[in-house]
Amino acid sequence: MNHANLKLLLKKYEQKRLSAFLALDRRKEDLYASCPRLQEIDSELSQFGLNTAKCILSSGSNFSLQELKEKIESLKLEKQKLLQSLNLDDSFFQPKFDCFKCEDTGYVKLENRYELCNCIKQKLFDIEYNKSNISNLEQHNFEHFNFDLYSDKINEDLYRSNLSPRENMKNIKDIAGSFIENFNLPEEKNLLFTGNTGLRKIFFIRLYCL
Ligand SMILES: [Zn+2]
């Protein structure tokens, strides 16, 4: 994984989350402007929420706990009715994230650990994919694979093989193809691509993954 790309994406996610909260604030402002009673209810609800906390912690509230609960319930009911009359529900007061799984944090909690969410994994994949200059799959696919580009001359000294580069490439393509065909079978072994940077190993991987 490219950590610089991940860092950049996480920064973008942070901005995306912030934008979602700012958009929510704007939505609320507009709603309150068109329905001031809703703003009053929300402010009363938070005030009663504070009073409830006070009431639980000490005797500093003017209301009994039961009175506060009843007032809160009655305000919530009034709010719900007002929202219904406007064809809205509680989701209106939630930020709109692009990804509901990670809420645009880029991470999801799995038992006791956090893992990258699929949405950010896909973005990392896309970045790498585009960088590999093979995004044009209409042209860059195995139907257009040209074995003529590989020599059919055997040169054991140069290639350390008694196969010509062309035969070797045909074998590699067959092995990779068979790997994908049998990918779901438990007895299928892993496929390891090795080689120096720039040899286009990723070309095979991407094409067989898509
Ligand atoms: Zn996500």
Side-chain angles (χ1 to χ4, degrees):
M1 184 196 306
N2 185 317
H3 288 278
N5 287 338
L6 177 61
K7 209 171 152 186
L8 202 69
L9 279 174
L10 287 173
K11 187 81 192 158
K12 283 186 181 171
Y13 269 50
E14 204 180 306
Q15 288 162 353
K16 205 157 58 159
R17 263 178 76 80
L18 184 63
S19 301
F21 282 106
L22 290 174
L24 171 62
D25 285 346
R26 281 196 297 274
R27 280 205 311 278
K28 272 163 74 172
E29 272 174 29
D30 290 345
L31 180 68
Y32 289 158
S34 64
C35 184
R37 177 62 191 145
L38 270 174
Q39 185 167 22
E40 284 170 17
I41 293 173
D42 276 348
S43 115
E44 282 178 56
L45 276 172
S46 49
Q47 191 54 47
F48 280 126
L50 281 175
N51 279 332
T52 307
K54 266 191 202 169
C55 196
I56 292 168
L57 294 170
S58 67
S59 56
S61 171
N62 297 325
F63 302 98
S64 73
L65 195 56
Q66 187 55 35
E67 279 175 324
L68 285 168
K69 276 183 182 171
E70 282 168 12
K71 281 181 185 300
I72 287 172
E73 282 313 308
S74 138
L75 283 168
K76 280 184 174 173
L77 197 66
E78 189 186 349
K79 181 178 177 178
Q80 206 177 12
K81 282 182 182 166
L82 273 173
L83 288 176
Q84 275 171 356
S85 72
L86 297 165
N87 277 331
L88 297 172
D89 57 33
D90 284 340
S91 67
F92 179 89
F93 295 91
Q94 301 301 319
K96 304 273 185 281
F97 298 116
D98 286 348
C99 177
F100 73 93
K101 279 188 183 169
C102 68
E103 298 189 339
D104 296 350
T105 61
Y107 287 93
V108 283
K109 195 174 182 191
L110 293 175
E111 293 172 358
N112 294 325
R113 65 196 161 83
Y114 284 90
E115 197 175 84
L116 282 178
C117 181
N118 283 343
C119 69
I120 202 164
K121 281 184 189 170
Q122 181 63 49
K123 285 188 169 58
L124 282 166
F125 175 90
D126 291 344
I127 292 170
E128 290 301 314
Y129 174 76
N130 289 325
K131 262 192 350 197
S132 67
N133 295 321
I134 57 163
S135 50
N136 180 6
L137 280 182
E138 285 181 9
Q139 289 299 317
H140 299 165
N141 58 48
F142 279 109
E143 281 175 27
H144 293 85
F145 200 103
N146 186 359
F147 288 105
D148 293 341
L149 293 171
Y150 301 89
S151 167
D152 60 353
K153 302 270 186 313
I154 296 170
N155 186 334
E156 290 196 43
D157 290 338
L158 184 59
Y159 302 116
R160 295 180 204 159
S161 166
N162 58 3
L163 295 175
S164 69
R166 191 175 299 171
E167 279 306 308
N168 191 38
M169 191 49 76
K170 282 179 182 171
N171 287 342
I172 290 171
K173 182 175 175 287
D174 288 345
I175 290 167
S178 159
F179 172 74
I180 295 303
E181 288 297 318
N182 301 312
F183 186 75
N184 291 328
L185 301 178
E187 61 270 23
E188 179 65 20
K189 291 177 180 165
N190 289 329
L191 187 63
L192 179 67
F193 282 84
T194 64
N196 291 333
T197 311
L199 293 178
R200 317 306 287 171
K201 298 179 293 297
I202 202 164
F203 189 82
F204 275 89
I205 295 168
R206 296 287 192 245
L207 289 177
Y208 276 110
C209 285
L210 292 167

